[in-house]
Amino acid sequence: MEVNISDLTLDQFIYPRGAKSQQTISAYVEALAIGAQFPPIKIQRVFNYPSSPPFSKGGKGGFSDQTMEATIILDGIHRWSAFKEKGIKEIAAVEWKDKPIDYEKNKVALLLESAQCNTSHGDRLSSNDKKRIGRDIASTDPECKCTEDTLAEKLGVSQQTVNAWITDIRARQKTNRNSIIIKLSRLGWTQEKISEKVGLSRNRASEIVGNTSFSEIDTLLSQGHDMEYIARHYHMDLALAWALRLEGKTDQEKFKELGWGLRPWDQWNFNGCLPREIPKDSKVYPVELLREEHPKGFNWGAFHRGDERFGDDWPGRIPAQLIAHTLFYFTKPGDLVLDPMAGGGVVTDVCLLFERKCQAFDLASRDKRPEIEYHHWDPQNRTWPVTKKPDLIFFDPPYYIKKEKEYEEKANKSAPSISSYTKEDYERFLKISSCWPIKTQNQQPAWPS
């Protein structure tokens, strides 16, 4: 079939070479000038394709939420470029699959097909190109769905060669995957949910939880290494490394190890947060009452600064110390905490440290935070899909319009931030969310204590 040159897309992730060869393109242009015939290029129609510039090598690079349909070139980039340069409007093409496919779900398959085509004809892929492709695919395939055998076959090399290229990547992925499994298990996830999350069987996930040892932590500490080093050593996040170190200690001992002074339940001036005078134009309620109780100045800093080891940089981030005190006074180890608006994950991190279970939800889920599940609060269906009735709900909603811009960057049109609500809708949200039903697995409503 003939297709319009202008309708075709060069996708930088799918293209298997480091760069096009202008020498080859020029040679093809000269051949076209004397009437040479070329075999058809190979293309594929896709949907769910990013409407902004395509991904770079390695699967990195941002794109908008908008997607579109596209026809991408799998084989024949030099021929297509020569036809463009010659001013030819159409080119012969064959389709890999006869129906459009989902781009996001088939990126690796598309790259492998493109690579295999370029190992058998035209400008053959160099060894460096093949190695880069193998490492790119391995890096974007943490579940190891693309085996070394498949890579070797598609790239035209031995399995031993592929192993040498990607052994370090697979080792990091395996360690990181095990850390995720252990983290989710400590937060109270069922083996079934964990296995679905990481793509392993329940039995294998259970084996990893039961058999993985981190006995070297004390040895590394005695050698003078800090917790950041230990987290990097085990390819895990810092909160999990600290949780493993603190395991078995009492809550009071954990406060001491973390460098947090344990304060009386009615005093929220956390150590490390310097007091300062209340701004005269402060709109925080109730300013008058706080002025009476703290005539020398209330510690607003305690609510704006905290231990940056835990939780991500996030709009409205609250101190880990505040959460730790809340858990200490109102829960016990093993209790389930619900964080319905998890944001940067500081609540899940502190629950991990203090051996509380935690279910966390947010409209901005991301790979870095596998414990935070996607959920968009719907005023017409005011439920949260928790597995059991929580012992504590840590409710920290967006601060109305105070952080509207920052929250909007985390949301999208189909799931807008609560900060975008009108004042009336926001007040309604606060009113009804203080007594919402919690949906359990058997669909029976339970009510927070």
Side-chain angles (χ1 to χ4, degrees):
M1 65 178 184
E2 297 285 325
V3 295
N4 290 330
I5 292 287
S6 60
D7 291 340
L8 303 177
T9 299
L10 165 58
D11 186 292
Q12 292 296 333
F13 178 80
I14 302 304
Y15 187 53
R17 305 179 193 279
K20 292 186 291 183
S21 168
Q22 188 57 47
Q23 181 178 358
T24 300
I25 295 172
S26 297
Y28 287 175
V29 170
E30 292 178 5
L32 287 170
I34 60 174
Q37 298 295 313
F38 289 88
I41 64 172
K42 182 176 285 188
I43 60 175
Q44 180 59 50
R45 289 174 293 154
V46 297
F47 57 90
N48 197 23
Y49 189 78
S51 59
S52 59
F55 288 100
S56 61
K57 285 281 189 281
K60 297 179 180 179
F63 60 92
S64 69
D65 292 332
Q66 303 299 317
T67 60
M68 63 181 188
E69 296 179 351
T71 302
I72 58 178
I73 304 170
L74 299 182
D75 180 41
I77 292 295
H78 290 124
R79 282 167 276 166
W80 172 72
S81 298
F83 274 57
K84 283 180 64 179
E85 192 170 313
K86 189 66 177 173
I88 302 174
K89 303 297 184 183
E90 293 186 336
I91 189 171
V94 294
E95 287 192 301
W96 179 40
K97 305 289 186 182
D98 58 2
K99 294 181 180 179
I101 61 176
D102 189 321
Y103 175 81
E104 282 298 320
K105 293 181 179 179
N106 292 278
K107 283 169 59 180
V108 170
L110 289 163
L111 174 55
L112 281 175
E113 177 62 23
S114 181
Q116 187 173 35
C117 290
N118 283 273
T119 60
S120 58
H121 61 262
D123 279 353
R124 310 297 173 88
L125 289 178
S126 68
S127 178
N128 285 338
D129 282 334
K130 293 178 181 180
K131 180 179 180 179
R132 186 187 63 253
I133 292 168
R135 290 183 65 83
D136 282 351
I137 290 174
S139 296
T140 57
D141 180 33
E143 297 178 0
C144 305
K145 294 179 179 179
C146 187
T147 66
E148 282 79 349
D149 283 340
T150 300
L151 285 173
E153 177 186 351
K154 296 292 186 180
L155 297 175
V157 297
S158 68
Q159 184 177 342
Q160 286 182 323
T161 299
V162 172
N163 287 336
W165 288 343
I166 68 173
T167 294
D168 62 317
I169 296 174
R170 290 302 193 211
R172 286 195 300 273
Q173 289 172 333
K174 180 180 178 181
T175 306
N176 183 61
R177 181 199 63 194
N178 292 356
S179 297
I180 291 173
I181 291 172
I182 292 166
K183 180 178 185 177
L184 297 180
S185 177
R186 285 172 172 265
L187 289 173
W189 282 44
T190 65
Q191 295 297 335
E192 182 178 6
K193 282 187 66 177
I194 293 173
S195 65
E196 291 175 359
K197 188 72 174 181
V198 300
L200 293 178
S201 68
R202 278 181 283 181
N203 288 339
R204 181 61 186 134
S206 180
E207 288 175 2
I208 290 171
V209 171
N211 299 332
T212 304
S213 173
F214 298 97
S215 57
E216 291 183 9
I217 289 181
D218 289 337
T219 301
L220 292 171
L221 287 170
S222 67
Q223 294 173 350
H225 296 295
D226 59 19
M227 292 305 296
E228 286 76 11
Y229 174 90
I230 291 171
R232 292 193 302 270
H233 176 79
Y234 285 113
H235 300 289
M236 64 176 60
D237 60 59
L238 186 58
L240 178 57
W242 267 103
L244 294 168
R245 174 182 171 177
L246 299 174
E247 185 176 15
K249 296 183 181 295
T250 65
D251 283 353
Q252 292 92 331
E253 289 171 334
K254 291 178 180 181
F255 271 92
K256 184 176 180 179
E257 289 285 336
L258 290 164
W260 300 342
L262 181 56
R263 306 298 185 181
W265 71 271
D266 58 347
Q267 181 182 349
W268 301 100
N269 299 339
F270 303 125
N271 55 320
C273 300
L274 299 177
R276 62 190 181 197
E277 293 294 326
I278 305 171
K280 293 181 179 179
D281 59 347
S282 175
K283 302 299 183 183
V284 180
Y285 176 85
V287 171
E288 293 76 12
L289 177 60
L290 292 174
R291 288 187 190 279
E292 292 176 7
E293 295 180 350
H294 303 270
K296 293 184 179 181
F298 183 73
N299 186 11
W300 292 109
F303 292 93
H304 294 283
R305 292 171 288 167
D307 195 325
E308 295 186 356
R309 292 175 294 180
F310 309 112
D312 303 333
D313 185 11
W314 202 262
R317 178 180 180 178
I318 56 179
Q321 299 99 308
L322 185 152
I323 298 164
H325 279 73
T326 304
L327 297 183
F328 178 78
Y329 286 113
F330 299 105
T331 68
K332 61 183 181 298
D335 279 356
L336 175 62
V337 177
L338 168 63
D339 185 4
M341 297 180 182
V346 65
V347 172
T348 59
D349 280 357
V350 179
C351 284
L352 199 63
L353 299 175
F354 284 82
E355 299 180 65
R356 272 62 166 177
K357 312 300 183 186
C358 184
Q359 279 198 272
F361 301 92
D362 203 273
L363 62 81
S365 60
R366 53 209 184 281
D367 292 340
K368 184 182 176 182
R369 286 285 177 179
E371 75 275 18
I372 299 178
E373 303 176 76
Y374 173 82
H375 182 73
H376 179 231
W377 185 83
D378 182 358
Q380 304 305 318
N381 181 27
R382 304 192 305 271
T383 57
W384 299 88
V386 299
T387 54
K388 60 180 289 189
K389 180 181 177 180
D391 299 290
L392 175 75
I393 300 174
F394 202 100
F395 182 55
D396 182 35
Y399 306 150
Y400 187 38
I401 60 174
K402 183 176 181 181
K403 292 283 184 178
E404 182 177 7
K405 181 179 180 181
E406 291 90 336
Y407 281 118
E408 285 302 311
E409 293 174 355
K410 310 293 183 182
N412 56 61
K413 291 181 179 179
S414 61
S417 168
I418 293 166
S419 289
S420 66
Y421 285 9
T422 64
K423 182 176 183 294
E424 291 74 19
D425 286 343
Y426 186 83
E427 290 174 343
R428 176 173 174 269
F429 157 76
L430 289 178
K431 181 178 179 180
I432 61 180
S433 60
S434 63
C435 57
W436 64 66
I438 305 297
K439 180 182 289 186
T440 57
Q441 272 188 328
N442 60 10
Q443 304 299 303
Q444 297 299 316
W447 295 88
S449 302

